[in-house]
Amino acid sequence: MAQIFRPSSNTVAPGVLVALALTPLVLGGVVWLLVWSPYSTAVGVPMNQAVPFSHQHHVGGLGIDCRYCHTGVETAAFAGVPTTRTCMTCHSQLWTEAPLLKPVRESLIANEPMRWKRVHALPDYVYFDHSIHVAKGISCVSCHGRVDRMPLVAKQETLYMRWCLDCHRHPERKLRAPGEVFDMASRDPSPEVGRQRLKAYQIQPARLLDCSLCHR
Amino acid sequence: MNDATSSTETKGPPPPPGTPVSPTTEAEPVFSPLGYPQRLLAPGLTYASITEEVASIPLRRIRSGWWWAAFGVAAALLFLLVVAVSWLFVTGIGIWGVNIPVAWGFAIVNFVWWIGIGHAGTLISAILLLLAQHWRNSINRTAEAMTIFAVMCAGLFPLLHLGRPQVFYFLFPYPDTMGLWPQFRSPLVWDAFAVSTYFTVSLLYWYLGLVPDFATLRDRCATRGGRFFYGVVSLGWRGSAAHWHRHQIAYRLLAGLATPLVLSVHSIVSLDFSVAILPGWHSTIFPPYFVAGAIYSGFAMVLTLLIPFRKVFALEGLITPRHLNNMALVMFISGLLVGYGYFMEVFMGLLSDDPFEHAGTLSRLWGAHSVIFYPVLLCNVIVPQLLWSRRIRMNVWALFALSIVINIGMWLERLMIVVSSLSRDFLPSSWGDYWPTFWDWATFLGTMGLFFTCFLLFLRLAPALSMSDVRELLTPGEEGPPVDEPQPEAKV
Amino acid sequence: MEKTHPEPVYGVMAEYENARQLLAAAREARKQGYVRMDAYTPYPVEGLAAIVEGKRSRLPLVFLLGGLIGGGGGYAMEWYAMVLAYPINVGGRPLHSWPSFIPVTFELTILLSALSGMVALLIATRLPRLHHPVFAVPEFERATVDRFFLCIEATDGKFSPDAVTRFLETTGPVMVKEVPRC
Amino acid sequence: MDLTELKQAVERLQRCGGEKGRLEGWRSLEELADTTEFRELLEREFAVPPDEADNRAGLKRREFLQILGGTLGLAGLAGLAGCTVRPRGEIVPYVEQPESLVPGKPLFYATALEFGGYGRGVLVETHEGRPTKVEGNRLHPASLGATSLFEQATILDLYNPARSAAVLHRNGPGDWPAYLQALQTALLKLPPGGEGLHLLTGTITSPAFGEQWNMIVQRYPAARWHRYEPIHDDAFLEAERGAGWEPSEHRYHFDRARVVVSFGCDFLFALPGSVRYARELMAGRSGERAEMNRIYVLESVPTLTGAYADEREAVRTAGPDGIAAHAAALAAELGVEVRFSGTWPGGGAAAWARRVAADLLAERNRNGALLLAGGDQPPVVHSLVRAMNARLGSYGDGKGTISLLPPLVQNRVHQGESLAELAAAMKAGKARVVMMLGGDWVQTAPADLDFAEALEQVPLSIHCGLYLDKTARRATWHLPQAHPLEAWGDTRSFDGTASLCQPMIEPLYGGHSLHEVLDGLARFPGRSGYEIIRSHWVAPGRLDEAAWRRALHDGVVEGSAPVAAAANPGGGGQVEVALGEPEAGLELVLGPDPSLWDGRYAQNAWLQELPRPIHHLSWGNAFLIGPATGERLGLESGEWVRVRGGEEEVAIEGPVVIQPGVADGAVGLTLGCGLWAGSDESPFRVRQPTVLLNRTEAAHERGESGVDAYPIRTRAHPWRRAVVLERTGRNDRAVTTQHHHLMEGRDLLRMGTRAELLERYPASGNEPLPTFYNLTEEMNDAYAWAMVIDLTRCIGCNACVVACQAENNIPPVGRDQVERGREMHWIRVDTYHFGDPDQPEFGFQPLACVHCETAPCEPVCPVEATVHDREGLNLQVYNRCIGTRYCSNNCPYKVRRFNFFRYAEGSAREPLQLMANPNVTVRARGVMEKCTYCVQRINAARISARKENRLIRDGEVIPACAQACPTETIVFGNRNDRGSRVAKRKESPFHYALLGDRNTRPRTTYLARLRNPDRPPSAT
């Protein structure tokens, strides 16, 4: 009988076989990269807003405290976004004509709210409470990064559950002294300081891993 | 196949002159003193004639009328499945009859039924191989194929019955963004592993057996495309002694692995129920009783497939009364075990002072669920008693009918187990009934379509009998009825 | 067959009616001191491999190792997931509830064992190999049907086409042929 | 319609000076978009048909409200849990943040809701201006912090897209100014005295309303005010008149009662004070006290009160063994002068009377007697009861079990006559202007009044109501009514305490309050509701500014309750009793529906779906007959019958349900079901329906919302009449959520007398069985949440079920799904009956997830979607659930619920999205759900406690069910805190765990149901 296949087939066939075996691995890897890439996490991707509000200028430059605008952060789950009034308290005096701020002025005149694009969005089934984190010494920086250095705010962390758990497993690594919480420059504590603060704040890490803490 | 010699399109050597073409109708059976048919193969078979008989099915497309008719029906049912599943994904699981309390319905019933059927294949092939039961050689290939396709159908249901099938992969361990893992205490996770392992191993085992036969087809195939196809799938097999040697080792080791696997898979399936605390589910007899049931329904299905197959393709010479008789016997014995399972359930139920267990049993005996309990008893225990008689076992039509009855009976049994326990559990306030919907039936029939479509394609593409295995049974060189032991000359 | 061989040969092949003759021939060839040979049969012939290539296969070892890795790895994974990675109170059951871990362990044992075995088999048999010199021999197509072949390969130390051919003629073959290398 | 358009619109409006006559205050363009002028303007400007205009405006408004939602990041609302796609929403802050509002923090406002005209004080939880939940008001006497199911369900009525949203003129487009014009011209045409001006309302206790009416009467002396409630107490009024008692209303004191005898009075449910009464009754019935009060009830069809009674007699109304006969016999035993004309009470009645009399006269029960007569009982029963009460000293001023209050309702008239009078006037063409406020009389008026036809004769008929009901369609003008939570108002409660009602939100669908509409009769164009109420209350002799503010804050007007008249109740002298002959035929017994009342809640999908107590019928009612009757007639449950009233040829059809406890020969049927059945007047056509309302609509359209009893209800027979039953051959079962009401001899609901229980269950049930598992780790946490349900207290009123539904965003699923057994209620009230099927005893068992410590559901979940937390909660993590439903299969209590379809679609879409509780995830299709112990409330409490570095105090966390419960049946708390109420209850000797022998170690456990019958109860 004649040969059905050319000699080259002897290298092709095993090659194909190996390739088939590897495909699932490769695919998995691709998905993994995709999931962790900024494409889906939006980490480090600045969000364009109607008014290009610069935290760098207001916080870093002018040194305005977070709580001046994000009023709810100590009392409510929702940190709160400043009302048009809040912006106008200063900008009725400063830069009253600045074209950049036109939308703000219009909003006030038309009594039509500003519309900001969400930068940090959690799924609807996750219930995050700013007030308790702030009260227990978690600094703004720990999740939002050095906002005072951002001309336009961008996500610093993936906000994936895995990331939440990292901190909920070892809160002591992030705890700030009560005074430093809103201090952009504050640093993560040394291990023993962290442990002391853990006691001071009366945090039971074990409890922090219960599903019911964030999912209801 | 009297036209075997005159065939022009078959390439390769004509069968050696003087080879008596194997009889389409088997010669009068020879019986052992105990009254068992003794012939394993019809007289007058040669390597060539065996090869011809088997290879002609895929290569010469014989009996295509029958084939197309069957395929038409199967394909139609398969289409029904596609429709049913699409609609299911669009609207949700609510289109089925499931409810609270009966949250599992046809899907799980069918799953258990199919996976049960999926057991005979590997069992026949592997266990009988290890036990050197040579009668396995003419039926193992079909049985294995049946296993593959049945497991495919079975595997569908656990996915379909999920409320959110789009996230089925939560069932498997992988590094996710949530830092979560499957919950390994759950029998459903065990299922996921068991079924996928079983499918993989059965597939390997089947394919391993097929490789040499694919080589045969390659060498006898007329068309270029065919030669290419079989050439690839036979991996360039050339029957080298070294290859045969390793092939045999691997084949036997796989059989050795498959045998406990078969037993484990249906035990695990049974744990889906017996791990739960429901009266009627929470029972230690389940694993053995499920395995017996699986073998039972499996053999029934093999018969259901083989009998018409052997008739249509005139393979009475290779699949002889002895095969049928043996299968009937295995089926019969496993049936008796199942019967014992029923008996024990009722017995324990009545014996226990657990009011819930007790009530459940009574409702089967003469309560709400007797309407299903007694049909099950009839199909799986009473009617099969006919198998005591040799004349029944020798009568293909009787066997065929019986196998159908048993298939139905075993499906009903699963329905009884799943539904009746759920609809009458602990609190009378939450009792409720279950009624299947059109889509329940559509999905069930649809998987039949999937199964038979695959099976028919298999008949057309692959050798439905293992030629190399059957050749082993022939005395090399000369013809004549083979005997059970391999030839003394063959092993030196 | 006296003429010289312009093109290189792979070996010389003899075709036999049945396994008995093949076995005899192979055994004879061994006596003659040929070592590099192979036999081709339509079904596994007991003991043939032992003759044509003296050494035993180590396949079973691979199966065993695969199984051990699968089982051990499986159980380790379960333990890690349930006890270490994210310990959660599930119905008050112990974190390390080993009885529930057995099924998956078992299944993974089987799976890994089977997979590694298959891979090992392919490697050991050098398959797939779709192109092979012996396929060039026209009669060879019956090797998968009803004929038995013995091929003494050119790589053999004391191989010479004529000598081998002559020797094989003596073993009562249906035919003897040179297999060209290609 | 974009912003600029709107702004121009405003300017034009200001130019044409449209006056709205609505309450002043913070306004938005959106609100404006709703005003009728604006619609009118739209028509002129863009020539769009009003309905569309309305829709446009509607859309605009929705957008606005969505923005409100937006400030919360749409938590739990925007998408459904489990969608794995991240939401990319917007944050939309306020332009100016209202005072005291912190986005994400709920605010609570006190107000009052009316039930049958009487007020019940409530607190309303609002999120960014969206009312989301109603709670009881502890300061209010009718509530004491609890509510009935109606208050709980009202929140759905508020957002109900089925509500009428447009002024209709002769069923066509109309608008407010045009209406005012028409009204004025009509009024001007009236004769000077104002003859022909008629007002028709339901029961009204509002003082301001009364004042308004007085003004109107000053202007039109001849104006007439008619009053008709389908559920009325005319019989009592007749008795009162007949005997010449001075007009009064009863205020009962169940906490003082030792022996309560009810002659068909459903006092635990149907009275304005029921919520309070239920609480008071429990003072004498909790397991702690050794001696309990005793309740005798006589009734023909089981009601909540009957089911709860210690001794219940299922008897017919008339005849020698009827309720009247029993009353008469008892009166005679007690020494009241009774003169029987004709038949005498039967032996049964006499024997019963002797026993009860002995009980009543026993020394231990001195001054503890309390006898009641149901509003549906004939006058003679009322007279007898009055006489007996007088004789037993129940009216003892101050200490007695009954105080008589001066009438609280405005316009106290015989309602049947009052309505008949109006009908007559209309037929005679005398009625020129008829204003019908807040009712659907075309539907509910006695059939023989031909109210609809009479209405045709009226030149100007005005109807104001929440829905486009039959009356709305037939009236010349229909005005959409503002929901009680959208309008200013005031009301009095059962004991006379006045409350102010304040709006929580601008009218969602436009509309005006009844006060505002009525004011149109007095002046043009009428004052705003705010002016009306304030001008009434802030007046010399009433309230000053401070008191007004306090009243608004507290929800009650201090010291507004009238002092009980120490007057002589009368009731002396002889009572004439004419007992009819024993009746052979069947007697149809009508009564209010436990969910829909008289039909006013028929548009409320929650209440439609709510399983009625006792038989658990859902989405409609059925003809209830006793087993004996069923036997005699050869009828099975599910068979359809035609019920024909004796004289005239009216007949109604519906399924029969065999219900143990229905008196032999009686056929029970509730009012208020089957409204809109198969009619073209289904209001849902009007607005684009959400999924939820598709369901209600479908049910109505297919006539599957039950049997409409009104066609067979006549003036002469408001409550009961002789009927004949005919088979129709049709046979499909009424939908019910509990098919099996017997306990099959299982130890599920423990019930019996104190002695029996202690003897039958010596072990307190506190010690769990041994287990292999080490549960200590979890036990050691500071909190171990647990719940104890005291079955002795449960009256089966369903308030907990609706409260749970409102709190946890539980969607209704529709009739067909309920029929398939897919209802979603997280808590259900199981009912079992015991003993003789014709005189059964009933037991209620509220059941939600019991949070087993060794939960069977958890180990079978393949993906850790249901697990435990360290405080012992059995959690369901929706976004991890893949929907294998294995957990439900393995749950011995079957308390888990599954989203077989996208049930929550409605709640995730406008406008119902606004109603959703932002702190509870809206569940996606294909996930399991169940009771969470209101984990959102626990978390809220924990967060505030942790901020202060303290532990959560006992009573700081109250689940919705416990909060709504009138009788404190459900107590929730921290079991590890020895002092907590939960821990104390768990020490009771009657404490037990349901299916404790399964060793599931439930956190929710029960206290056995104590009963205190005089006769030995039939075996449980």
Side-chain angles (χ1 to χ4, degrees), chain B residues 24 56 400:
Chain B
T24 43
S56 59
F400 185 67

Side-chain angles (χ1 to χ4, degrees), chain A residues 1 3 5 9-10 17 169 209, chain C residues 85-86 131-132 135 137-138:
Chain A
M1 95 195 213
Q3 294 282 7
F5 299 92
S9 64
N10 290 350
L17 220 54
R169 288 205 176 91
L209 294 177
Chain C
Y86 200 157
H131 174 98
H132 192 280
F135 289 138
V137 181

Side-chain angles (χ1 to χ4, degrees), chain D residues 48-226:
Chain D
V48 282
D51 277 18
E52 258 177 59
D54 169 52
N55 280 348
R56 287 213 196 181
L59 287 176
K60 185 67 196 169
R61 174 183 60 251
R62 303 228 170 95
E63 219 169 279
F64 161 65
L65 290 159
Q66 202 159 28
I67 292 166
L68 286 182
T71 55
L72 236 203
L74 295 170
L77 301 177
L80 303 178
C83 7
T84 31
V85 187
R86 298 269 167 126
R88 286 256 172 268
E90 282 182 323
I91 307 184
V92 185
Y94 285 91
V95 174
E96 241 171 318
Q97 197 157 302
E99 274 305 308
S100 79
L101 184 147
V102 180
K105 280 236 173 281
L107 294 173
F108 289 83
Y109 297 101
T111 183
L113 295 167
E114 289 192 334
F115 172 64
Y118 292 81
R120 282 176 184 170
V122 296
L123 298 180
V124 180
E125 178 179 2
T126 66
H127 290 269
E128 290 79 42
R130 305 175 290 115
T132 59
K133 179 81 168 60
V134 172
E135 308 292 3
N137 179 355
R138 292 179 184 288
L139 301 176
H140 194 280
S143 160
L144 298 183
T147 65
S148 79
L149 65 161
F150 299 119
E151 286 78 54
Q152 290 295 339
T154 198
I155 203 78
L156 178 56
D157 273 335
L158 169 63
Y159 293 98
N160 199 335
R163 272 177 57 192
S164 146
V167 175
L168 289 190
H169 181 230
R170 301 199 180 286
N171 264 334
D175 60 62
W176 181 252
Y179 153 71
L180 290 178
Q181 288 304 335
L183 179 61
Q184 290 310 317
T185 32
L187 289 175
L188 289 177
K189 288 214 203 79
L190 286 178
E195 288 87 355
L197 174 55
H198 293 264
L199 172 66
L200 175 56
T201 68
T203 299
I204 290 200
T205 57
S206 154
F209 198 93
E211 189 188 41
Q212 284 179 277
W213 176 249
N214 295 336
M215 294 179 194
I216 293 164
V217 172
Q218 279 159 23
R219 187 164 160 192
Y220 308 103
R224 304 279 294 104
W225 178 3
H226 308 273

Side-chain angles (χ1 to χ4, degrees), chain B residues 212-231:
Chain B
D213 284 3
F214 277 141
T216 308
L217 292 189
R218 173 195 64 203
D219 297 348
R220 295 182 54 77
C221 184
T223 64
R224 234 181 146 289
R227 295 224 317 282
F228 182 84
F229 170 72
Y230 291 118

Side-chain angles (χ1 to χ4, degrees), chain D residues 729-979:
Chain D
R730 180 175 169 191
N731 195 331
D732 55 49
R733 57 182 325 146
V735 176
T736 153
T737 60
Q738 183 179 343
H739 307 277
H740 198 85
H741 290 84
L742 297 174
M743 271 197 340
E744 301 289 330
R746 303 174 178 189
D747 171 26
L748 306 177
L749 192 164
R750 292 186 181 174
M751 167 159 131
T753 65
R754 173 177 301 272
E756 285 172 337
L757 287 168
L758 291 176
E759 178 255 331
R760 206 180 305 143
Y761 308 106
S764 76
N766 277 335
E767 317 74 38
L769 306 166
T771 172
F772 285 127
Y773 308 133
N774 163 22
L775 304 169
T776 50
E777 181 218 357
E778 161 203 5
M779 299 304 109
N780 289 341
D781 193 276
Y783 309 106
W785 300 115
M787 182 182 278
V788 178
I789 298 177
D790 184 350
L791 298 177
T792 311
R793 292 169 167 270
C794 182
I795 58 172
C797 70
N798 270 342
C800 49
V801 181
V802 188
C804 176
Q805 187 154 24
E807 169 72 12
N808 292 303
N809 302 334
I810 298 172
V813 296
R815 179 190 165 101
D816 50 336
Q817 291 299 298
V818 174
E819 201 167 12
R820 272 231 171 258
R822 297 170 177 177
E823 66 275 6
M824 298 298 280
H825 300 127
W826 283 3
I827 184 172
R828 63 175 196 258
V829 182
D830 289 345
T831 313
Y832 297 103
H833 30 71
F834 314 86
D836 167 14
D838 287 304
Q839 298 285 353
E841 291 154 6
F842 297 90
F844 295 114
Q845 187 167 45
L847 182 57
C849 173
V850 293
H851 295 265
C852 314
E853 282 168 9
T854 58
C857 51
E858 291 180 9
V860 298
C861 173
V863 292
E864 292 174 328
T866 179
V867 296
H868 252 67
D869 73 9
R870 275 164 190 73
E871 298 174 357
L873 265 60
N874 168 268
L875 310 172
Q876 181 67 29
V877 189
Y878 309 122
N879 41 304
R880 179 69 176 172
C881 177
I882 63 175
T884 68
R885 307 187 294 295
Y886 199 172
C887 50
S888 168
N889 287 351
N890 208 24
C891 171
Y893 308 92
K894 288 288 175 285
V895 288
R896 295 180 151 260
R897 298 288 177 242
F898 188 71
N899 293 274
F900 288 93
F901 285 122
R902 203 174 281 101
Y903 293 137
E905 208 173 13
S907 347
R909 270 211 257 131
E910 295 293 348
L912 294 176
Q913 186 192 76
L914 304 168
M915 176 181 70
N917 178 350
N919 295 319
V920 175
T921 311
V922 174
R923 279 78 63 187
R925 177 182 103 191
V927 304
M928 191 61 73
E929 60 184 71
K930 66 166 193 65
C931 162
T932 63
Y933 269 170
C934 283
V935 63
Q936 67 276 15
R937 296 188 175 197
I938 299 177
N939 283 357
R942 188 190 299 110
I943 285 174
S944 48
R946 298 286 293 110
K947 281 189 206 160
E948 301 161 27
N949 282 332
R950 58 171 175 83
L951 287 181
I952 300 174
R953 300 183 198 92
D954 190 30
E956 200 173 342
V957 183
I958 307 177
C961 53
Q963 193 164 17
C965 181
T967 57
E968 298 175 306
T969 298
I970 304 175
V971 164
F972 178 84
N974 176 5
R975 194 187 58 186
N976 284 357
D977 164 8
R978 283 277 140 254

